[in-house]
Amino acid sequence: MTTRSSARVRSAPPPPPELSIHHKNSSSSSSGKQMSAVSDLRPDAQAVLLLVLLYTLQGVPMGLGAAVSFMLQERGADYSQQAIFSLVSWPFSLKLLWAPVVDTVCLPAAGLRRSWIVPLQTIIGIAMFATADYSQNLLHGGVEQAVKPMTALYFVMHFLCATQDVAVDGWALTLLSAKNVGYAGTINAVGQTIGYFAAFTGFLALEQAKLMSLGSFMLLCGALFLVSAAWVAVSPESRQVADKEDPEAARKRAA
């Protein structure tokens, strides 16, 4: 009896084939979904690259503001002076007040979003070039003299970047294809995080190693803003979006 029962255990039938087939199908379907998600982004690769660049540049003044706050604190800024400088971040919280203007007013020939993005990036780039040495001299001139001018300067930069953020958020909805619009929030978060990290942690590391000063870093960032503005102005992707936003203007240009 013992021999027969052990034989029966050893010769027990394998699990039904449909179960193994089901497991194979589920694993292959999950890997297939991951591959399809990656392949879905390929047609929008240039658009994603452009959006990442724009959002990264938006994070740069935010990171620089945090770096300047840290440098002011290191130079002896008290709590009241730090509170004054913290006002620079308010535009990102208040941008909903002027967002309707950005979403409606435009130059038809340039398109709804490029009408704002190109001028804003150009102004930010020029402002960084114009104030690079001034910002550097303010930091060396003492905290008491530096706090209010630096607060005004970075408040204006944050205002310009917050306004650009409204335009880029709306632009992403038309720049990306319908199946990839859901990635817009992720692109925003990734881009701004890269910009913030580069301008805060990256700049402080370079400044600590005496490889770059605040003025030279602002010159570099200003050049990047101007290059980005030129790319947005001439990019075929942005022109196609402008034509979608204003078909009448596109027909006039074609005629």
Side-chain angles (χ1 to χ4, degrees):
M1 294 295 293
T2 304
T3 305
R4 290 181 180 177
S5 61
S6 60
R8 288 175 184 173
V9 172
R10 286 194 299 270
S11 63
E18 58 270 14
L19 293 179
S20 60
I21 293 174
H22 173 73
H23 289 302
K24 290 180 181 178
N25 289 339
S26 61
S27 60
S28 61
S29 63
S30 61
S31 60
K33 289 179 180 178
Q34 295 174 355
M35 291 297 294
S36 64
V38 174
S39 61
D40 286 346
L41 283 174
R42 289 177 183 173
D44 289 339
Q46 291 185 354
V48 170
L49 204 60
L50 179 57
L51 289 172
V52 169
L53 173 63
L54 293 173
Y55 283 126
T56 298
L57 290 177
Q58 286 174 202
V60 167
M62 299 165 64
L64 268 180
V68 169
S69 177
F70 182 84
M71 294 169 76
L72 289 173
Q73 182 181 356
E74 192 179 43
R75 286 164 170 75
D78 57 29
Y79 289 141
S80 62
Q81 292 168 332
Q82 294 177 48
I84 291 173
F85 189 80
S86 68
L87 296 175
V88 301
S89 62
W90 278 29
F92 274 90
S93 301
L94 300 175
K95 63 183 179 180
L96 58 90
L97 297 178
W98 60 89
V101 178
V102 179
D103 288 334
T104 54
V105 178
C106 72
L107 297 173
L112 179 59
R113 308 303 176 182
R114 290 199 313 171
S115 296
W116 291 92
I117 296 172
V118 174
L120 286 169
Q121 291 213 306
T122 303
I123 293 171
I124 295 170
I126 293 174
M128 284 193 167
F129 270 106
T131 60
D133 290 337
Y134 176 68
S135 300
Q136 184 68 34
N137 293 334
L138 280 175
L139 280 179
H140 290 296
V143 173
E144 188 68 30
Q145 298 176 354
V147 170
K148 290 183 180 179
M150 294 290 274
T151 301
L153 173 62
Y154 279 91
F155 184 91
V156 172
M157 286 191 182
H158 277 66
F159 172 79
L160 295 173
C161 284
T163 305
Q164 178 186 310
D165 187 55
V166 175
V168 176
D169 284 346
W171 206 32
L173 300 180
T174 48
L175 195 60
L176 295 172
S177 59
K179 61 184 178 182
N180 289 328
V181 167
Y183 291 105
T186 302
I187 296 171
N188 184 329
V190 170
Q192 288 196 10
T193 300
I194 294 173
Y196 186 94
F197 178 82
F200 178 51
T201 307
F203 163 67
L204 287 178
L206 292 172
E207 198 268 343
Q208 185 68 26
K210 300 188 183 304
L211 296 176
M212 188 169 283
S213 64
L214 177 62
S216 58
F217 191 81
M218 289 180 68
L219 289 175
L220 174 62
C221 294
L224 291 176
F225 269 99
L226 293 177
V227 170
S228 175
W231 185 14
V232 173
V234 302
S235 169
E237 292 279 336
S238 62
R239 171 56 64 186
Q240 293 174 7
V241 173
D243 292 343
K244 290 179 184 178
E245 292 170 343
D246 194 343
E248 184 63 26
R251 284 194 294 269
K252 289 180 180 178
R253 285 195 300 271

